[in-house]
Structures are given as C-alpha cells and as structure tokens.
Amino acid sequence: MSDTQQQNTARLDEEEARRQLLELAEEFYDQFEAGDIPEMTLPTRTKSNIVFDEEAGVWVYGDRTSTRSANSVRGARKLLKAVYAVEFLAQQLDEDRSSTLRELYYLSESWDSEEAQFTSQDESNQLIEDLEIVSGVTREDFHMRPEESGAKVMGPLLLREQTRRGDREIHCQDDVGQGGYQIPNNPDTIEFLDNDAEFVLCVETGGMRDRLVENGFDADRDAIVVHLGGQPARATRRLTKRLHDELDLPVVVFCDGDPWSYRIFGSVAYGSIKSAHLSEYLATPEARYVGIRPQDIVDYDLPTDPLSDSDVNALESELEDPRFKSEFWTEQIELQLDIDKKAEQQALASQGLDFVTDTYLPERLGEMGVL
Amino acid sequence: MTSFQSTLGEEEGIADELAASQREISIAEFFEKNKHMLGFDSGARGLVTAVKEAVDNALDACEEAGIPPDIYVEIREAGDYYRLVVEDNGPGITREQLPKVFGKLLYGSRFHAREQSRGQQGIGISAAVLYSQLTSGKPAKITSRPKGESQAQYFELIIDTDSNEPEIKADEPTSWDRSHGTRIEVEMEANMRARAQLHDYIKHTAVVNPHARLELREPGTEEPLKFERGTDQLPAETSEIRPHPHGVELGTLIKMLESTESYSVSGFLQEEFTRVGKKTADKVLDAFRDRYFGREMAWATPDSLDAEAVVTAAVSGKGSDATETFAGRVAEALDSAGRLAHHELVRLVADAAETAQESTGKTFGDTVRANTVDAVWTGMTAARVDAAGRRVDADDDAEADDAESVLRAPLVALVDDATSSQKDDAVVTGLAERLAADVAGLDDSRHRLTRARLDRLVDDAADRMVEFDEVTFGDTARENVADALWTRMATVPDDVPNVSEVAGDRDTASSLLEAMRGTDILAPPTDCLAPITAELVEAGLRKEYDADFYAAATRDAEVHGGDPFIVEAGIAYGGDLPAEGQVDLLRFANRVPLVYQRGACATTDVVKSIGWRNYGLDQPGGSGMPNGPAVIMVHVASTNVPFTSESKDALANIPAIEDEIELAIREAARELKSYLNKRRSMQKRREKQDVLGRILPEMADKVSAVCGRDRPDIDGALARIMNNVSVEREYDEGAVRLVVENHSDRTEELDVTDIVSVEPADVPDDAEVVDLDGEWFVKWTPSVSGGDEAVLEYRVSDSDDAEFDVNVDGVETEKLTVNA
C-alpha cells in the first residue's frame, strides 16, 4: 500500500463515518416529520444478551434490544445529547481533529442547551458507545480517544506509523527506549513491515513487563511483549488482534491469578460486554491463557492471599458467564474456589528473579506448544 | 377519726344543727356556681355562647315553621357592657309562653322529644338571660310577633333566682317592622377576645345551614359579615319517634310500665316503643320467658323406653281396649316426635288423651294424664340402661352395677360436639356423666333452668371433674357446653306476668329489659333525623370555602342507646385554603357548630387516628392532625347527641358513633385521594410536558441544523408522547379542516367550538352553526376512540378575511394540544 492510498482510505473512512453519523440525525428528522416519536434502538448491553458467534469465534450481542425513545424525559434527554454529540463529531471529522472522551464531557458544558450537557463522564462514554453501535463506526473513526493512551510494545517488530508529522518507521526493540513502543490511539494507522517474532505475550502488570524486558525475554525468545496495563485499552486489543491476524503469531496472555485478571484475559480473547459490538474488530479468540492458573498456585507452591468475598462473588459470576463456559475455565475456577487462594504474577519471584523467564514461562509455553 | 366520733357522741342534736344549714338550692344559684358547665365561664366565651344559644333557637324555630331563616346578630358596646341583639323571622312566641321560654331554666319543648333539634335541654337561652342579668343587672328585652298577629309584644324579663320563675318587668304591645319573628336583646359583661370563635361559629353555621341567611354586626368593623343563602331547600321536617327498645334504661322502663295504659307486656311493648309489632313483641316475650322462667331441657325418646308398656302400667281402670288405644297413641306420637321438653310431653299426652277419648268414649282425665306424663318422663330421663341401651330394672342386682343413666349417652354426644377435638374421651364422658347425675338430681324434675343456673350447673360439674380427675376444662369449653345445652332447651309456654306485676318487681323488670336488649329489633326510623345530605354539605363548603376540590359523604342511620344517629363528613381541599399548618376541623352536632374543646371531642380523636398519608395528606409522624390546605367537617345528627358536658362543646367518645364518624370521613377521604392522585399524575404530566416541551424543540433545531434541512414539525410527535389529544387546523383557500387526533388509549369526548368571523358553509350534519352578531359558532362534539382521529370539514365563503378561534372542552388541558 502506498502512502497516498493509505491517506485516501483514511479520508474515505472519515467521509463514511461522517455520513453514517449524519444518517442517524436524518433518521430523527424523518421521525419528527412523520409525527412519530424519535427513537433509537440498541442491543441490550447486559451479560444475559451476549451470544457466541460461531463463525467469528467471538462473543457478540444477542437479539434483545432496548429502545431509547423521546417518549420519556430521560429518553428525550439522551436523544438530545446524541444529536448534539453527532453535530460535534461531524464537525470534528470535517476539521480532521480529534478529542478525548473526557474532553467531550467538558466540551458539552459549552453547548447552548443545558439539557444537552452531560452530567457525568460515564454518560458521555456510554453515548459514544451507543453511537458506535447504531452507526457501525468505531469511535477511533470518530477521532475520539480515551484519556490514557494505549499501552507499550517491545519485541522484534518493524512497523510504520502515520503521525501528524508524517510516516515514521519504527523497530520496536532498536528504535525505542526501555519503555517500548507506544501504541497509538488508532492502531489501524500502523502498517507492519517486518518481524522476527515467534509469538505475542500480553502481560497484565507493568512490573512483570519490566522484569521480562530486563531479563531480555523478548530478545531471547523472539517474543512481542505487549503491556496490557490492567483492563486493556481498545487500541491494545486491536493491535493484539492485528498481530495475530496479519502476522499469524500465536497470542498468549499472562496475568495475575485472580478473577479480575481472568476478565482481562476474557476481554482480550472474547471481547467485553460493553464493546461486544466490536468483538470482531477487537477480540482475539485464539489467544490463550498462560497463567497464573490456580493450578500453578498448587504446582509451584506460590505465596498466596486468601480470596475475599468479592473475589468469590466474581468467580461465581464467571462460572455463569457464557464467555468462561469452557472446560479449562470451569476446572480452574472451581479449583480456585476450592483452595480459596489467589496469587499475583510477582509471587513467582519467591523462587528467584529469573524464575519466571528461566523456568515458569518456558515450561508453560512448552506445555502449550508455543515454544 | 376517733376524736370526731367522740364529739358526735358527746354533743346531742348535731343532726339538727346540720339540718339547719341544709336547704334547697335554686337552679339559678346552681348556675351561678357552675357557669362553666353551660359555657359562660368568661366574658369572652359568655358572649359566644349567648350568640350561639340565641341563633340555635332562632334556626330551630324557623325550620319548625318551614320558614327559610333570616337571622340578624348585632353586638354593640354599651357603656361597661356589651349589648347583644338577635333577631329572627321565625313564627314568634305566644304571649303566654314567652316569659317561660326566656325566663325559666329547664323549660323547653325538646327535652322529652326524640327528634333531632339543636336545643335539647331548655337551658341555653334562659342561661344567657340569667348570665346577662347576673353580670349587668339589666333585664332581657324581648319582642315577639307571632305570625298573623297585628302587633308585636314587648317584654322585659328577669329570672327570679330563688324560684326559677320569670319576673315580668314590662309587658306591652309594640309595633315592629317584621311581620313575624322574635328579637332578644341582652346586656352583659363581656369582651370581644373570642372574636375568632364567634366568627367560626357564624361561618360554620352558614356552612351547615346553607338554607339560612346570617348577618353579624360587631364593634370594630364597618361592614357586617353577611352569609347569603346557598339553597332554598329547607332541611327535611323531622318527626318525633317513640323510644327504641334498645335505648331505654331500667328506671325509664319501670316508669313507662307504671304509666302505660296497656295490661299485657305484649301490648305495652307494641304501644310504647318504636319498631315493635306483634312479631317482635312475641320475640321479646320468648326472650323474657327464657330469662324469667328459664327453659326446659328436651330429651329424645330413648330406645330403652317401651312406651306402650309404661303407659299401660300407668293407666288404671280404663279397660284394656281403651288403655291400649291410649297407650298406642302415646307411643305413636313419641315415635314421631323429636326431642321433647317436659311441657311438650304434657301437650303430647293431652293430645293423645283427647283422640283416645274420641275413639273410645272413655275419659282420660287429669290424673291419668299426669300419671302418664310422669311415667313416660321417668322412662325418658330417670331410667338406667346397660351398655347396649337396654333398660335395667332397679331391682335387678345382677346387671344394675354396670347400668348407666339414660341421659348419659345423649350428653356424651352433646359434650363431644361442643368441645374441641383435643378433649379425649375420658374427659368427655367424665363431664357427661356428672352432668347426667346433676340433671337427674334437679329439684325441678321438669329440668327447667334459667341460663344463669345452667351455667352454674355446668361449672359445678366441670369443677368437680377438674378436682377429681385432674384434667383441665377451661372457660371456653364450659361456655360451649352450656351454649349447646341452652340451644337444645325449649322455651316454655307459661304466661308472662302482666304489666303491673313486671312494674312491681325490679328483678322482673330487669329480665324484661334484658330480653328487649337481647332481641334483634329493626333500627329506629330515621325520619326523626334531618341530615344535611352529602349534596348540601358540599354546597355549604363550596359556599364558604374557595377550594379546588370538595367531597362529602352521608352515612346510613345507626343506633346508639336507642337513639338513631347519622354521621356526615365533608372535605374541601386546595384553592385559597392555607397550605401551611394543620387542616381545619369543623365539628357539628345537629347542625350546631362546636367551637370550643376541640381536643376533648370524639371527632378530633377519630380524625387523629386516621392514617392520612394513605389519603394523600401530610401527617407528621403518621398520626395526629394532618397538615395541608384542607377543611374536614363532620356532622353528627341524632335525637340525643352525647356531649361530654352541658355546654355542648365536645362529642363523647361513644364507640358506635366514632366508628361511623371514621367511616364517613374515610368515604369522603377516598374521593380526596383519587382527586389528589389524579392531580399528582396531571402534575407529573405537566412537568413532563414542560421538560419535553423544552427538549424536543431543541432537538428538532439541532437535527435540522445537522441535516441542513428546515425545522421539522414536531407537534404530532409531542402530542403522541403526551398521550395527548391534538386539534389541528388545515386551511386551504376557504376549505377548513379541523383534525382531532387522539393519542391516548381511551375514548375522548370533545366539545369543539370554532368561532369564525365569516359565515361558514357546507357544514356537515354532525356540527351545528350558531350565528351570534357577526360571529359564527361552529359546534362539533366528536367522540374519538384511542388512536383514532376525527375530521371536521367546512368551507368559508370569503377566504381572505376569515379569522378563526377554536375552543376545545371535554379534555383536560394537560392532555390537549391545540394548534388551530
């Protein structure tokens, strides 16, 4: 793909995004004209309304929908805000600018209608998600980005990124510092040029990522180490998916051994409930879980903490979660409930700083057939 | 104590000494000491009470004469005193009666009448006269002109406080501009500190007497307070009723018995009481017999009784054929009879004797009959039977040991039925056996017992069983057994004592009273009462209170102590009523406002006990007086309103009356609740309309800006959102179209009036055109079901200058969107 082509595609996407957004406004207009009550129909965004898409191997929204209608004061306020947000986003696309979700929240303060102003950032975030769903355009294409940018990548990978100061070619080991390569908000502006990687290793905590980099794991094992940083940003998940799909690299996820970390894995592999409309775009169903497994706590006799009540609730809720209805997870979660213990990634240090790179990961990855 | 007694002993004649200071107290002296009981405890209150008494009398007099009352009250300062004048347009009072009416306490027409009226004791107005005379020393000046008289008569009166007789100071004819009526003028020590109560009294009187016109002039105000008539309808005339059997006391009953002209109790009851005819009198008499004579136990004929043999043995000297016939008759009759009491057996035997006499020609006289009755009764009640129920002769020693009383089996069955299933067989048979023995041992072999004796009998048997068998047998079980026995017993046919015998014996009279009270008797007739009626309660409230909502309820008549009463309640809410603080409670008794002692009144207690939050009124703490812009009124009408004191300020706490007050208030309150609910939902709807009315236009503006198109028409969407009814006009070169769209889920009936400045043409049949001075009213009343629309089309001749103004009724404004 040449530079100009890339530019054109992006431009076209912007045009398309703008058109799709305006279509929504047109729809409201037509509803008004017909004497109908303006409304907007969305899939119900709850755990009970996500279904497994066999073809794509990801979890997507089911067929249950909820309607936001101007019938009620609440619904009317939401729709009014939606129209104001559409206008703002259309204008932003027109001017080829971008803003953050938080900026949108504050920006609403300047709108002439008090009713249209957001009362909390959750509200504006949710509205953007609603707009993504009804327009079929991702928020990255609206030029909306989260406040905190995507996480970092370290590994034998050469890529080209379109930046405001032109395209840059970057090697994710040689051209970056200890911190690694910063994933941009819209990873679709990246083009992969070359790589020597064997697999992608997503790591939950910053501490563990630094440990792996310090121990030279990425170089020794030809691993692309992606730092998730808690619940991964959409950019991180999108990049991971592209690394898997475009470079055909196996993806493994390395987290703490507690229910919250399983959810992090879940959102990488299966998609999250909030963004199930983007599962096909964000989720990497082939991703596999390295650890820490409850089994590891037993096998490696790791230092542990007892499960709290909320941990137990979360585990039990995961047993009900359709995304975790696999033999592996049922077994592991039940084992964890049984031993009533959880362990952090750093617990591996109890057997020495090199234990994770020299013993644990090679053993686990060997078992999984990655190494 | 001892010292006092020794003094008593030492000094002879102390009783004489005491007697010297014992003398009659005149009613006036009594009044002077007990002014507060009559509502004259202070100058402020005395004035209000005097006004009240005079106005009550005036209203009563007018109503009795069927004259719509027109009452004038004037209070004026007169030196150190206040002068009170009350004038009415009533029928007037005759020259002979007048001095007594105003100048004698406890003189009146009402005290002895069971009929609803304001005054009851004949104290009120004469007490006011007495109070003025005691405080100012001046006589009462009374003018009265009876209807049809050519002149009025003027009196000056004082009350002789020793004799309680009027003393006439002046008595002369005078001229008066009223054609009939009465005027009273008194001067008294008073002050206007109770002005609020005075106004309350007058205003509340106007509320419950919408047929009356009232005017009050008082010092310190320029204009008189005037309360105009709200209706020409006078209260229904009341008629006097005789006492109700449930409502007399023993003393009254004895007095009535002594003075009646009836000979028999039955006649007395039918003559002197309301709601008692022959049937009811018979019911009362049966109840009286039960109490006076007691009932007789009835027994079934046992299998062990060989009636023919027993009767044959008891008859002698009548020849075997005749005896056989008689015995056969008796046995036959016994067979077909159910349980028999002694007196029933006597009648049965007598009947058999009569028929046997007819067919055989032999006479079966009293002796034979008595012997027969004895023999059969003994067989029925005193025989002993073995386990199989066969009769055992007393001299048959071999079997006598196991023999039981013939009464045992039926009593076991009865006790078993009457007690709970938890009692085991030993207890049941234990009690039944003891009862059988006790009954058999009664002095009166007829087994005749009063209820009290029966209870004692059961108690004794149960006590012995508890003591010897060490089992428990509680009060309820005893009562159940006694009840079961009592229902099985038969009322005796004995003749009841006559009136003079009953009157002569206190216990007998008491039994009669109990019988009267224990018999179900129709509630007294209510034509002695004149309720205001729900309609006029509401009219009265409407007249005096500017509120948004009114409700009223009138209950059916109930009885308390033989006096019928009716409770009415009304509620006014919202409007100009003050929203702050407690609701206003208006209390009335026989159309008289009660202005003092609110806290002591049963009405207040009832209002406080109701959970007003249920009915949409604020009630701090969930009990007590509710808060809010409301007036609650309660009217109790009765032939005898139970007050807590003679000053008639507060209703006594009588449960029967309190219950009715509560039901009446709740009935009215339910209407209030649905009104408030509706109002609340309307308010929500209005709020929603307000917010949406702001949001949707903004949304439409923004949408049109974003799309770059003209602003869309959002009225249709708005109407639909509000479940509204929209009325829209389309106009095209003289063609007028009015479109009614009903977006609600129920049918709406509309009154649409289109006011057009030019003459309309081609108006369809379902619309009507009225020409009013160059304006044409096109009236159209479509019925539009939910989700439907209706269209009115017509033409106007001159399309250029036509002006339209549409007016839509029949739909609440909150639900209506007019765009025409």
Side-chain angles (χ1 to χ4, degrees):
Chain A
M1 225 187 278
S2 76
D3 285 6
T4 37
Q5 258 177 319
Q6 183 79 42
Q7 280 292 345
N8 282 346
T9 326
R11 177 53 60 191
L12 269 181
D13 276 353
E14 278 161 16
E15 276 304 314
E16 179 68 10
R18 197 167 172 280
R19 201 181 55 72
Q20 304 254 35
L21 275 173
L22 292 182
E23 216 161 73
L24 183 66
E26 296 274 353
E27 205 172 306
F28 289 150
Y29 189 97
D30 293 342
Q31 284 168 340
F32 268 132
E33 269 293 298
D36 288 335
I37 302 168
E39 60 173 36
M40 175 164 108
T41 304
L42 292 161
T44 306
R45 288 150 78 182
T46 60
K47 191 165 75 186
S48 56
N49 191 39
I50 57 169
V51 293
F52 190 69
D53 182 336
E54 297 281 353
E55 226 168 276
V58 292
W59 291 88
V60 296
Y61 288 125
D63 56 2
R64 296 211 340 251
T65 58
S66 359
T67 302
R68 307 224 194 296
S69 164
N71 208 349
S72 68
V73 169
R74 243 170 68 107
R77 284 206 177 100
K78 282 203 166 142
L79 294 192
L80 179 67
K81 289 169 195 193
V83 178
Y84 268 82
V86 164
E87 185 192 38
F88 164 73
L89 291 173
Q91 195 186 341
Q92 166 169 302
L93 286 171
D94 225 21
E95 296 170 0
D96 193 21
R97 302 188 63 169
S98 66
S99 53
T100 68
L101 289 168
R102 193 152 187 80
E103 278 169 338
L104 172 64
Y105 167 56
Y106 283 119
L107 194 92
S108 75
E109 296 270 329
S110 71
W111 291 346
D112 52 8
S113 165
E114 260 181 49
E115 296 285 358
Q117 292 167 9
F118 296 111
T119 50
S120 71
Q121 199 185 337
D122 278 349
E123 196 185 5
S124 56
N125 290 357
Q126 203 199 5
L127 177 66
I128 291 299
E129 280 161 13
D130 287 351
L131 290 179
E132 278 185 314
I133 294 170
V134 288
S135 66
V137 179
T138 64
R139 78 172 176 231
E140 287 78 4
D141 291 331
F142 296 157
H143 292 190
M144 290 303 298
R145 32 171 227 274
E147 202 56 37
E148 61 294 334
S149 40
K152 288 138 191 152
V153 174
M154 181 71 104
L157 171 69
L158 178 66
L159 52 77
R160 175 162 50 216
E161 182 188 339
Q162 306 166 24
T163 72
R164 288 216 160 253
R165 289 179 296 276
D167 292 358
R168 293 285 162 89
E169 272 184 33
I170 298 163
H171 189 274
C172 298
Q173 278 168 329
D174 304 341
D175 299 337
V176 298
Q178 279 289 328
Y181 167 69
Q182 172 83 47
I183 305 171
N185 280 310
N186 187 354
D188 287 350
T189 58
I190 294 174
E191 190 187 347
F192 299 131
L193 298 177
D194 195 13
N195 77 86
D196 293 322
E198 290 294 324
F199 64 99
V200 178
L201 178 65
C202 302
V203 183
E204 177 185 350
T205 62
M208 181 50 72
R209 189 210 82 102
D210 292 348
R211 167 61 46 220
L212 297 183
V213 171
E214 187 181 316
N215 289 9
F217 188 77
D218 55 316
D220 295 350
R221 304 285 179 175
D222 292 333
I224 299 178
V225 176
V226 178
H227 175 213
L228 297 174
Q231 195 54 257
R234 277 162 58 161
T236 313
R237 283 151 62 196
R238 174 67 185 152
L239 183 75
T240 306
K241 179 169 179 63
R242 286 190 59 201
L243 287 172
H244 173 270
D245 288 2
E246 293 171 29
L247 306 182
D248 202 19
L249 296 173
V251 174
V252 294
V253 181
F254 183 27
C255 297
D256 286 340
D258 63 40
W260 317 103
S261 304
Y262 308 157
R263 289 188 183 177
I264 290 171
F265 165 74
S267 74
V268 171
Y270 310 131
S272 65
I273 292 171
K274 263 172 65 175
S275 57
H277 56 293
L278 297 168
S279 287
E280 282 184 64
Y281 173 79
L282 294 177
T284 313
E286 297 82 1
R288 285 180 295 163
Y289 190 70
V290 183
I292 306 285
R293 302 171 305 161
Q295 187 65 46
D296 297 332
I297 297 174
V298 179
D299 289 355
Y300 295 96
D301 195 19
L302 298 176
T304 58
D305 288 317
L307 293 179
S308 70
D309 287 350
S310 59
D311 291 334
V312 172
N313 285 341
L315 284 170
E316 275 165 0
S317 144
E318 278 162 15
L319 280 176
E320 299 295 314
D321 193 325
R323 297 177 298 170
F324 287 94
K325 280 241 157 50
S326 69
E327 203 182 315
F328 172 80
W329 282 113
T330 312
E331 215 172 87
Q332 293 299 324
I333 291 169
E334 277 170 1
L335 173 65
Q336 182 151 34
L337 284 169
D338 199 37
I339 60 177
D340 195 26
K341 282 172 181 150
K342 61 181 178 185
E344 291 182 355
Q345 291 179 310
Q346 280 72 12
L348 292 166
S350 65
Q351 314 214 14
L353 290 179
D354 295 334
F355 179 72
V356 62
T357 40
D358 289 357
T359 314
Y360 178 76
L361 282 176
E363 270 183 31
R364 283 288 298 134
L365 293 169
E367 278 169 36
M368 295 166 73
V370 175
L371 278 186
Chain B
M1 233 16 203
T2 32
S3 67
F4 179 62
Q5 271 182 344
S6 64
T7 321
L8 263 181
E10 278 163 24
E11 248 176 87
E12 270 178 68
I14 182 94
D16 290 332
E17 200 172 297
L18 286 173
S21 58
Q22 287 166 343
R23 59 190 176 91
E24 197 180 345
I25 305 156
S26 86
I27 190 87
E29 285 174 310
F30 175 81
F31 167 77
E32 210 176 341
K33 281 206 168 159
N34 296 288
K35 286 189 289 227
H36 58 279
M37 279 173 56
L38 298 169
F40 291 95
D41 37 2
S42 71
R45 176 134 189 236
L47 188 60
V48 176
T49 305
V51 168
K52 180 174 148 149
E53 297 296 350
V55 170
D56 287 353
N57 276 10
L59 287 168
D60 266 344
C62 290
E63 278 167 26
E64 248 171 79
I67 303 165
D70 187 346
I71 294 165
Y72 173 77
V73 180
E74 181 184 306
I75 298 164
R76 210 184 299 158
E77 284 169 58
D80 294 339
Y81 305 111
Y82 274 86
R83 182 181 299 140
L84 166 66
V85 176
V86 178
E87 251 182 56
D88 67 48
N89 61 338
I93 303 167
T94 62
R95 202 177 149 191
E96 296 71 41
Q97 291 295 324
L98 192 141
K100 288 185 178 172
V101 168
F102 292 95
K104 188 173 167 72
L105 273 85
L106 292 174
Y107 185 89
S109 56
R110 305 263 132 239
F111 187 70
H112 300 282
R114 277 174 196 265
E115 186 183 353
Q116 177 190 332
S117 58
R118 295 179 179 81
Q120 276 169 358
Q121 294 107 329
I123 291 182
I125 193 63
S126 37
V129 170
L130 184 57
Y131 179 73
S132 72
Q133 138 190 354
L134 289 171
T135 54
S136 73
K138 301 214 171 138
K141 296 168 184 164
I142 297 142
T143 310
S144 186
R145 181 167 175 187
K147 210 169 179 176
E149 295 287 319
S150 59
Q151 273 195 313
Q153 195 69 18
Y154 174 78
F155 285 92
E156 286 188 11
L157 293 176
I158 59 168
I159 298 171
D160 181 335
T161 51
D162 290 333
S163 63
N164 182 27
E165 287 296 334
E167 202 173 298
I168 301 166
K169 295 286 186 188
D171 176 3
E172 58 209 35
T174 179
S175 62
W176 194 26
D177 51 359
R178 288 207 192 230
S179 64
H180 52 86
T182 305
R183 174 184 201 273
I184 176 168
E185 178 181 331
V186 289
E187 261 178 56
M188 58 175 71
E189 210 172 83
N191 59 61
M192 291 297 290
R193 261 174 241 139
R195 200 186 285 265
Q197 280 87 347
L198 181 67
H199 288 187
D200 276 355
Y201 167 74
I202 296 281
K203 179 169 183 168
H204 298 177
T205 301
V207 170
V208 285
N209 297 286
H211 60 287
R213 189 186 164 279
L214 297 169
E215 184 173 336
L216 170 68
R217 261 175 211 278
E218 52 184 343
T221 51
E222 291 283 306
E223 284 295 304
L225 271 176
K226 282 187 185 172
F227 299 90
E228 294 300 335
R229 230 168 244 134
T231 172
D232 288 334
Q233 192 188 333
L234 282 173
E237 261 184 64
T238 56
S239 49
E240 198 176 331
I241 59 162
R242 288 166 290 168
H244 191 270
H246 287 175
V248 289
E249 310 284 330
L250 183 56
T252 317
L253 179 67
I254 293 173
K255 244 169 88 183
M256 289 170 76
L257 283 163
E258 281 165 351
S259 60
T260 183
E261 282 166 18
S262 303
Y263 172 77
S264 72
V265 172
S266 172
F268 163 73
L269 289 169
Q270 294 177 55
E271 207 55 44
E272 305 290 333
F273 291 93
T274 184
R275 294 295 197 209
V276 183
K278 177 84 177 75
K279 259 192 188 161
T280 310
D282 286 348
K283 274 202 287 184
V284 174
L285 287 187
D286 273 351
F288 179 43
R289 284 191 184 94
D290 287 347
R291 286 168 175 80
Y292 185 71
F293 300 111
R295 286 183 181 178
E296 284 178 2
M297 286 203 189
W299 304 103
T301 320
D303 295 340
S304 59
L305 179 71
D306 183 349
E308 286 201 56
V310 167
V311 176
T312 310
V315 179
S316 61
K318 297 294 175 192
S320 60
D321 282 355
T323 306
E324 198 177 310
T325 311
F326 174 57
R329 294 273 176 206
V330 173
E332 216 173 275
L334 281 173
D335 261 358
S336 56
R339 274 193 289 270
L340 286 174
H342 190 267
H343 69 266
E344 289 164 327
L345 177 63
V346 170
R347 198 180 318 124
L348 181 146
V349 169
D351 288 349
E354 297 293 333
T355 45
Q357 227 161 283
E358 272 170 35
S359 61
T360 63
K362 295 266 184 190
T363 313
F364 291 87
D366 288 348
T367 324
V368 175
R369 293 182 190 187
N371 288 344
T372 308
V373 168
D374 279 351
V376 174
W377 187 248
T378 307
M380 281 170 68
T381 64
R384 300 186 74 76
V385 293
D386 65 14
R390 282 187 305 269
R391 185 164 185 171
V392 178
D393 286 329
D395 49 2
D396 192 342
D397 290 341
E399 286 169 279
D401 285 349
D402 301 333
E404 300 280 2
S405 162
V406 71
L407 299 181
R408 178 181 176 272
L411 283 170
V412 168
L414 181 139
V415 173
D416 197 29
D417 272 358
T419 53
S420 67
S421 50
Q422 283 133 3
K423 296 267 182 272
D424 58 30
D425 288 353
V427 175
V428 171
T429 51
L431 185 70
E433 276 167 18
R434 287 187 172 87
L435 283 174
D438 289 353
V439 170
L442 283 172
D443 291 342
D444 188 339
S445 65
R446 293 174 302 175
H447 298 176
R448 184 180 279 202
L449 291 170
T450 60
R451 177 67 203 242
R453 283 210 56 198
L454 175 70
D455 287 346
R456 249 190 339 266
L457 183 104
V458 173
D459 254 357
D460 278 354
D463 281 347
R464 272 177 286 137
M465 184 173 65
V466 169
E467 190 177 341
F468 295 110
D469 295 0
E470 293 184 347
V471 292
T472 54
F473 207 84
D475 289 344
T476 318
R478 292 172 192 212
E479 210 181 302
N480 289 344
V481 171
D483 275 347
L485 279 166
W486 184 251
T487 22
R488 187 172 285 199
M489 289 166 81
T491 299
V492 299
D494 301 28
D495 288 333
V496 294
N498 65 30
V499 164
S500 56
E501 285 164 348
V502 178
D505 185 74
R506 213 182 158 76
D507 289 345
T508 312
S510 168
S511 295
L512 176 61
L513 187 67
E514 274 175 43
M516 282 160 54
R517 288 189 178 157
T519 309
D520 281 341
I521 299 172
L522 228 58
T526 53
D527 51 2
C528 54
L529 297 180
I532 305 170
T533 72
E535 194 188 324
L536 289 183
V537 166
E538 203 182 308
L541 286 171
R542 232 174 244 287
K543 190 160 78 75
E544 299 306 328
Y545 294 95
D546 195 357
D548 291 334
F549 166 82
Y550 305 87
T554 297
R555 300 282 306 163
D556 287 338
E558 284 286 328
V559 186
H560 153 66
D563 284 300
F565 68 92
I566 288 180
V567 177
E568 300 175 280
I571 295 178
Y573 182 90
D576 285 350
L577 298 173
E580 301 300 316
Q582 295 186 346
V583 304
D584 245 349
L585 174 62
L586 317 187
R587 301 168 293 131
F588 299 93
N590 287 353
R591 292 178 181 246
V592 177
L594 312 179
V595 286
Y596 285 98
Q597 291 192 30
R598 197 183 81 163
C601 189
T603 309
T604 313
D605 294 344
V606 172
V607 170
K608 285 181 174 172
S609 72
I610 290 175
W612 282 98
R613 289 173 180 178
N614 280 337
Y615 298 105
L617 285 185
D618 178 32
Q619 192 177 30
S623 72
M625 280 310 256
N627 288 344
V631 171
I632 299 170
M633 75 147 271
V634 176
H635 177 225
V636 177
S638 174
T639 48
N640 181 18
V641 177
F643 289 108
T644 53
S645 81
E646 290 317 308
S647 62
K648 303 199 278 187
D649 288 316
L651 289 183
N653 295 71
I654 309 288
I657 295 182
E658 287 183 320
D659 288 352
E660 282 295 310
I661 293 176
E662 178 170 345
L663 290 170
I665 295 178
R666 284 189 189 276
E667 213 175 300
R670 272 195 294 278
E671 281 183 52
L672 172 67
K673 180 184 185 175
S674 67
Y675 164 77
L676 288 177
N677 281 348
K678 190 165 176 207
R679 207 175 75 147
R680 236 158 254 163
S681 88
M682 278 297 161
Q683 196 170 346
K684 260 183 149 171
R685 175 188 278 277
R686 228 177 359 248
E687 279 165 16
K688 180 178 169 183
Q689 213 159 15
D690 282 355
V691 177
L692 289 183
R694 215 166 46 239
I695 292 178
L696 291 188
E698 285 178 0
M699 183 171 163
D701 286 345
K702 198 45 86 176
V703 166
S704 64
V706 171
C707 300
R709 292 160 71 179
D710 287 344
R711 187 177 184 280
D713 176 12
I714 62 168
D715 288 346
L718 256 182
R720 201 163 287 194
I721 288 168
M722 299 315 302
N723 293 331
N724 257 352
V725 177
S726 72
V727 179
E728 219 156 316
R729 182 188 307 275
E730 290 165 23
Y731 183 79
D732 185 26
E733 293 189 356
V736 182
R737 257 170 76 89
L738 275 178
V739 185
V740 175
E741 283 179 62
N742 180 3
H743 300 292
S744 73
D745 47 11
R746 62 190 187 94
T747 304
E748 296 286 357
E749 313 279 345
L750 288 89
D751 269 322
V752 182
T753 308
D754 203 10
I755 304 165
V756 198
S757 62
V758 295
E759 185 167 7
D762 300 342
V763 177
D765 291 343
D766 62 345
E768 179 193 351
V769 184
V770 184
D771 179 358
L772 278 175
D773 280 343
E775 275 189 331
W776 284 266
F777 283 50
V778 182
K779 294 189 171 194
W780 180 43
T781 52
S783 167
V784 192
S785 46
D788 244 352
E789 65 169 46
V791 184
L792 171 70
E793 282 179 299
Y794 64 92
R795 296 193 59 83
V796 285
S797 52
D798 186 0
S799 54
D800 288 358
D801 297 342
E803 280 176 25
F804 305 95
D805 184 13
V806 76
N807 179 45
V808 182
D809 283 324
V811 181
E812 287 134 54
T813 40
E814 283 85 352
K815 293 176 71 178
L816 189 65
T817 311
V818 178
N819 188 15

